[in-house]
Amino acid sequence: MSTEIHGGAGQDLRRDILTTLLPGFFESDAPEWVLGMLREGLGGVCLFGSNIVSPAQVAALTADLRAANPLAVIAIDEEGGDVTRLFFDRGAPFPGNAILGRIDDLELTREVGRAVGEAIAAVGCTMTFAPDADINSNAKNPVIGVRSFGAEPALVSRHTAAWVEGVQAAGVDASAKHFPGHGDTATDSHLALPVVDLPLADLHERELAPFRAAIAAGTRSIMTSHILLPQLDAEHPATLSPRILQGLLRGELGFEGVIVSDALDMAGASGVHGIPEAAVLALAAGCDLLCIGTNNTGEQMEEVVQTIADAVAAGRLPAERVADAAARVRALATETAPAAAADLASGFSVALPDGLSDRVAASFHVADGAADRLASTGSVGTIVRIETVANIAVGPVPWGPCALIEAPESARPAPSWLTGATQVVVDASSPLPDASTLAGPVVLIGKDLHRHDFAVDAIARLRAARADVVTVDMGWPSEDLAVADIATFGASRGVAETFAHLIQDAVDAAPVTS
């Protein structure tokens, strides 16, 4: 029998439950069910690429959302690198975390965090699910990689703190993720349940260090991960574990801000329980704001609300826990400084630090002799583009230098080596053609090349057939860099532009012949 939540005390409970929920929707305008629930107290929404058309449109959308509920959290997954929503159609202009970690200048990281925050605030968003505070200790990690500042706890910790300080200085709430650390995994929690089988002492020494730094820097929220840590809780993933959220995050680490769940539509959270029951378990575990998914419906949200209400009535979830979560969410609106109005007529508001491109270029790994292979003829004959399935966090965002042609949104035109070369696409079902027939020099470009057997095979065939080959990894390369002559540690638009002009400089260095 369902619990009545539409009158008296039940109405108060319904409002509190709604305040803990953060759904997503597909449209570029707010659906009526979203606006109606916001008027009833819905905690907010999370915006995704499908919601973004133009700066003015996003600003109008967020204004409608805040008019329905002035306390609403308007969140977005804007990490400032490969993971972008504001720039979903063309790629972000910022360098991602891995590059910032390699440069290792805290003031630059702080400046980039602030620039990301200013772009977000200009269109009316109040929270970003960033920075990624994971330590990428596993080079085969399929979902973190260049989203991480690096593989060393101290480096990741200090840059996590700097990025938090930067983005929150712009009036946007940070949400350090994915607690207690998703870096030492070889499984994507969007698709399955990763396991990190480490004792608490090891977690304190490595995985938890960046989160302690984020808390010390004042992060207003922390996002959980859907990973199983059997030495802490053998039954529940972190998002659903009271031992990890209340005992570890609240108790041992002393975090008092808002705990946000990673999306509950991910298999790591709801693969066993379904989304409504996962919502109950997440609240009971200590989450305050539940990110539900990317394309929710009013009917689905009503089912979640009713399931939570029934759990309260059955004594499985204290009403006080729901009220506490709702109070923490509402407090965000009073703790965050309002963003200044922005002129969006010329596009998204982006202010990049001076000299950024040169510093990004200096962070690239470039093997000895790589530039010489390009300078031998003064051109690039063929670009072999390795296409792999993007992880769900990144999605189908244009990446790498080819995006400069396919989605031309830059003041710097695509360089001639890029526009003049023949493109060959290689993927798991489309093997490399006869390597000896390709016009040279050949530049092969991909991401995380060592993780894909077909890519490693293509590189071996190219290298065996010819000497004028340069391989470029725009993801997180293998530790030995065996298949990467050049490694950029990121594939965002800003990084791609820097890389493309670096290659042009190498090509232009070819000796003039008569």
Side-chain angles (χ1 to χ4, degrees), residues 304-320:
V304 171
V305 170
Q306 188 63 58
T307 301
I308 294 172
D310 290 344
V312 171
R316 299 173 52 222
L317 175 63
E320 295 79 11

Side-chain angles (χ1 to χ4, degrees), residues 98-329:
I99 289 174
L100 293 174
R102 286 174 63 80
I103 295 172
D104 198 13
D105 179 337
L106 295 183
E107 185 53 37
L108 178 63
T109 295
R110 200 172 285 112
E111 286 183 52
V112 170
R114 179 159 190 146
V116 174
E118 289 172 347
I120 295 167
V123 294
C125 294
T126 68
M127 175 183 284
T128 182
F129 292 143
D132 190 309
D134 300 308
I135 299 167
N136 200 63
S137 53
N138 187 337
K140 293 186 177 180
N141 195 312
V143 70
I144 303 302
V146 297
R147 302 166 66 193
S148 167
F149 288 110
E152 297 298 325
L155 180 145
V156 176
S157 297
R158 61 181 179 263
H159 284 277
T160 294
W163 209 97
V164 165
E165 292 165 355
V167 77
Q168 292 193 163
V172 171
D173 296 330
S175 188
K177 62 188 183 185
H178 306 81
F179 185 84
H182 205 314
D184 191 15
T185 62
T187 304
D188 186 344
S189 55
H190 293 86
L191 307 173
L193 180 61
V195 176
V196 176
D197 193 7
L198 295 174
L200 182 57
D202 288 358
L203 292 172
H204 271 296
E205 184 175 341
R206 190 176 68 179
E207 273 74 11
L208 296 177
F211 294 99
R212 289 196 298 269
I215 292 168
T219 187
R220 296 193 180 98
S221 70
I222 286 178
M223 175 176 274
T224 66
S225 63
H226 308 324
I227 61 174
L228 189 70
L229 297 101
Q231 297 193 43
L232 274 64
D233 187 331
E235 182 180 358
H236 303 104
T239 299
L240 311 182
S241 171
R243 166 69 185 92
I244 293 173
L245 300 188
Q246 296 183 40
L248 181 55
L249 182 53
R250 292 282 191 220
E252 295 186 43
L253 272 61
F255 181 59
E256 294 296 330
V258 171
I259 299 177
V260 185
S261 78
D262 206 345
L264 295 183
D265 63 352
M266 295 164 60
S270 57
V272 173
H273 306 284
I275 292 174
E277 179 62 14
V280 171
L281 296 174
L283 282 171
C287 289
D288 304 307
L289 185 59
L290 308 181
C291 185
I292 304 299
T294 59
N295 189 15
N296 304 120
T297 66
E299 293 79 6
Q300 181 187 41
M301 297 307 297
E302 288 293 353
E303 182 183 3
V304 171
V305 170
Q306 188 63 58
T307 301
I308 294 172
D310 290 344
V312 171
R316 299 173 52 222
L317 175 63
E320 295 79 11
R321 167 79 274 272
V322 180
D324 172 66
R328 291 179 188 273
V329 174

Side-chain angles (χ1 to χ4, degrees), residues 69-89:
N69 179 2
L71 300 181
V73 173
I74 304 177
I76 193 165
D77 224 353
E78 190 64 46
E79 296 180 9
D82 287 25
V83 174
T84 181
R85 304 296 180 250
L86 280 185
F87 307 96
F88 194 73
D89 61 337

